[in-house]
Amino acid sequence: MIFLKIRINIRTVQLAMASMAAALFPFYAVASTAQEQAAYSVSSSVQSLEAYEDTMPQSLPSSMEISPVKNKQGHWSLSLNLNESYLSGNDEYASETIHSRCVGYYDFRMSWQANPETTLAYDQALKRPKFMMGLLYADFDHLHIYKEDKPFESKIGQIYTAFIGMNLALVRKGRWTASAEILNGVGYCPNSYDENYNQDQELIGSPFSIFVGGGVNAAFRLSPRWSVALGIDFKHYSNATLDRPNRGVNTMGGTVSLSYDLEPQPLRHKELSDLPQADEPEPYPKNFYVEGVVGVAGKALFDRFEIYGEKHNPIYGSFTTMLSAMWRWHLVNASGVGLDYTYADYVYRIRDYDLMREKTGYKYSPHIMGLSLRHEWFYHHMSLNVGLGVYLKKQSGYTASLRESRIYQTVSLRYSIPYTHDRLFLGYTIKAHKFSRVDNAQIILGCRIN
């Protein structure tokens, strides 16, 4: 622009000189008139350019800058998942009653995930987990349930499920992501067990069931918004022994998924060295703490169902406690050992049922004790605690000797109360045997002391 201004000033001097020459030499006026018109045109164009330049911003507004990620905190995505599974089970009931084992699952879910540029410590430590919520339609119409001596067929039909879950990335490389996920929810089955018209269907014993799912998958990003995945999934439905029968549904199968990100994402994953470092200090440096838990458990007795075969069985309660020594060795990990104790006076009712069935020679005690290895994963105020234990003492009669083992498993979902600096927490626990048979469901309250 400076160069153009210099040229304009020079041209002004030339026009002044041309006017003087026209007055002295008339023949020069004709030529100078054409030059004057051209100079005026150039001057007007330059002035227009200068005025436009003054109105232009020095840089593009942030809304116009090209960026693959618009929200620095996180983004939402939608996905559709199709699954074909096989119903597992090789006990006497399954062998005699279930004649086809194909099950189909179809679910739609919404997921939230922190963006690659996140500096939140928990999201970096867990490699930006996805948090999911969705609806699942389980189709059991291809499952044929009947006994050879019965003239009719029982059925499960469909189960409608609402769930939440978490997906944890295991490996990220280029456009590929290998991950594991865990799901938890509540399912509704309109064709649960009924002693009159659906009596051979002992898998789902009540209209409402607890749903637990898990699996591993490999995802490939097709574009900044679209990705596909293949995986293997396990799904379980059970009413947590809150009614009988409660054989439960366990399936395993393959899943194909199609996902759409509401905001465009990078095609390739960045190297860890290229990602920003966390700007939060670790709220839990390495430390040792003691954890105490109290709870109330409930279950319906299989012993009673075997005698009466009725739906809507009474729920018997018990009191549970646990004392654990834990080592918080990482921001998101703690491990330790625990001593578990349960007082279950319903064992005397089991003794009465055993006498009715002429099952003798078994011991009964309301005191149940176990020793367990424990691990807990943390994410802000939420945590998932799992345990693998062995009974030190358990005397619960005939049915327990057949259906249970000396090894037990627990899974707890917990929420730590922020106002107590995460020392107090509440949640619920599922206790199981043989990694598939639920023993009871518990509501718990706990405290961490360090």
Side-chain angles (χ1 to χ4, degrees):
M1 289 302 175
I2 295 174
F3 177 74
L4 289 174
K5 288 178 180 178
I6 294 173
R7 292 189 61 187
I8 293 169
N9 293 333
I10 293 174
R11 191 58 185 168
T12 302
V13 174
Q14 290 176 342
L15 289 173
M17 294 177 65
S19 298
M20 294 174 61
L24 296 175
F25 305 100
F27 69 88
Y28 183 75
V30 176
S32 63
T33 301
Q35 293 179 353
E36 184 178 22
Q37 291 176 350
Y40 177 78
S41 177
V42 172
S43 176
S44 300
S45 300
V46 171
Q47 289 177 358
S48 299
L49 284 172
E50 289 178 331
Y52 179 73
E53 182 187 33
D54 293 337
T55 63
M56 289 181 64
Q58 298 299 316
S59 62
L60 289 174
S62 59
S63 61
M64 296 177 63
E65 292 178 356
I66 299 174
S67 173
V69 178
K70 298 179 181 180
N71 186 340
K72 293 183 179 180
Q73 294 300 321
H75 68 281
W76 289 91
S77 62
L78 308 175
S79 64
L80 181 65
N81 302 270
L82 309 178
N83 175 281
E84 289 294 326
S85 291
Y86 180 83
L87 180 71
S88 62
N90 55 5
D91 58 4
E92 182 178 351
Y93 166 81
S95 301
E96 293 182 355
T97 311
I98 302 174
H99 301 277
S100 177
R101 296 173 179 255
C102 294
V103 181
Y105 296 97
Y106 314 92
D107 79 71
F108 173 79
R109 63 185 70 175
M110 296 180 61
S111 303
W112 185 92
Q113 183 182 29
N115 287 323
E117 290 76 10
T118 183
T119 55
L120 298 177
Y122 281 98
D123 288 284
Q124 284 195 351
L126 290 172
K127 299 181 180 180
R128 300 188 300 116
K130 283 185 179 181
F131 296 93
M132 303 172 290
M133 58 181 177
L135 299 175
L136 170 65
Y137 173 80
D139 183 11
F140 290 83
D141 275 341
H142 298 288
L143 200 69
H144 300 291
I145 304 174
Y146 61 90
K147 292 183 179 180
E148 298 294 344
D149 58 345
K150 298 290 181 62
F152 58 87
E153 183 174 314
S154 299
K155 67 176 182 177
I156 295 177
Q158 293 78 32
I159 301 180
Y160 308 94
T161 307
F163 65 88
I164 58 174
M166 175 187 286
N167 180 289
L168 295 171
L170 303 176
V171 179
R172 288 191 174 103
K173 188 68 174 179
R175 297 192 181 196
W176 289 93
T177 302
S179 61
E181 68 180 27
I182 183 170
L183 308 174
N184 188 208
V186 177
Y188 171 74
C189 177
N191 296 297
S192 59
Y193 170 84
D194 187 277
E195 60 267 27
N196 296 317
Y197 68 88
N198 207 22
Q199 59 184 269
D200 291 337
Q201 197 277 95
E202 298 183 9
L203 300 174
I204 303 297
S206 58
F208 292 96
S209 298
I210 292 177
F211 165 72
V212 177
V216 294
N217 61 72
F220 180 79
R221 182 163 289 282
L222 299 172
S223 71
R225 291 184 184 269
W226 292 95
S227 59
V228 294
L230 295 175
I232 299 176
D233 294 273
F234 167 82
K235 292 179 172 62
H236 171 79
Y237 283 97
S238 166
N239 62 25
T241 69
L242 297 179
D243 202 353
R244 295 292 180 176
N246 183 51
R247 296 185 181 275
V249 167
N250 297 298
T251 63
M252 181 77 72
T255 299
V256 59
S257 305
L258 178 65
S259 299
Y260 175 78
D261 291 279
L262 300 185
E263 297 180 7
Q265 299 299 305
L267 279 176
R268 297 180 178 273
H269 297 295
K270 293 183 178 181
E271 299 292 338
L272 290 177
S273 58
D274 297 332
L275 295 176
Q277 297 300 311
D279 59 1
E280 295 184 359
E282 292 190 357
Y284 280 96
K286 295 179 180 180
N287 66 93
F288 170 83
Y289 64 92
V290 176
E291 180 179 275
V293 179
V294 296
V296 177
K299 65 182 296 183
L301 299 180
F302 188 78
D303 312 75
R304 183 184 186 279
F305 174 76
E306 283 197 330
I307 295 175
Y308 299 103
E310 296 176 349
K311 196 174 183 179
H312 304 305
N313 293 271
I315 298 176
Y316 296 90
S318 59
F319 174 74
T320 66
T321 62
M322 182 186 70
L323 186 65
S324 301
M326 303 291 291
W327 172 247
R328 185 75 174 264
W329 51 273
H330 190 269
L331 175 66
V332 298
N333 292 289
S335 304
V337 60
L339 182 65
D340 306 316
Y341 171 77
T342 300
Y343 180 78
D345 59 356
Y346 59 76
V347 71
Y348 298 119
R349 184 59 59 91
I350 294 176
R351 180 183 59 187
D352 295 338
Y353 291 142
D354 283 352
L355 291 175
M356 294 173 64
R357 294 178 294 175
E358 298 182 352
K359 306 296 182 182
T360 59
Y362 296 93
K363 297 181 179 181
Y364 307 88
S365 173
H367 305 288
I368 302 173
M369 296 186 65
L371 187 67
S372 60
L373 298 176
R374 316 206 69 83
H375 187 85
E376 190 162 5
W377 290 276
F378 295 87
Y379 182 84
H380 295 290
H381 305 298
M382 299 297 298
S383 63
L384 180 68
N385 184 289
V386 297
L388 179 64
V390 57
Y391 286 115
L392 303 178
K393 180 180 181 180
K394 190 175 192 301
Q395 300 171 341
S396 301
Y398 168 73
T399 301
S401 67
L402 297 179
R403 297 176 55 84
E404 300 176 4
S405 64
R406 290 198 60 192
I407 306 297
Y408 61 92
Q409 304 83 44
T410 60
V411 178
S412 301
L413 185 63
R414 302 173 172 183
Y415 174 75
S416 299
I417 302 173
Y419 301 107
T420 65
H421 301 286
D422 290 348
R423 288 186 173 89
L424 291 180
F425 60 89
L426 49 87
Y428 78 93
T429 299
I430 299 296
K431 183 179 180 182
H433 297 104
K434 300 181 180 180
F435 297 93
S436 60
R437 290 181 175 175
V438 176
D439 181 68
N440 61 53
Q442 308 172 17
I443 298 175
I444 61 172
L445 175 66
C447 179
R448 302 183 182 99
I449 302 173
N450 53 9

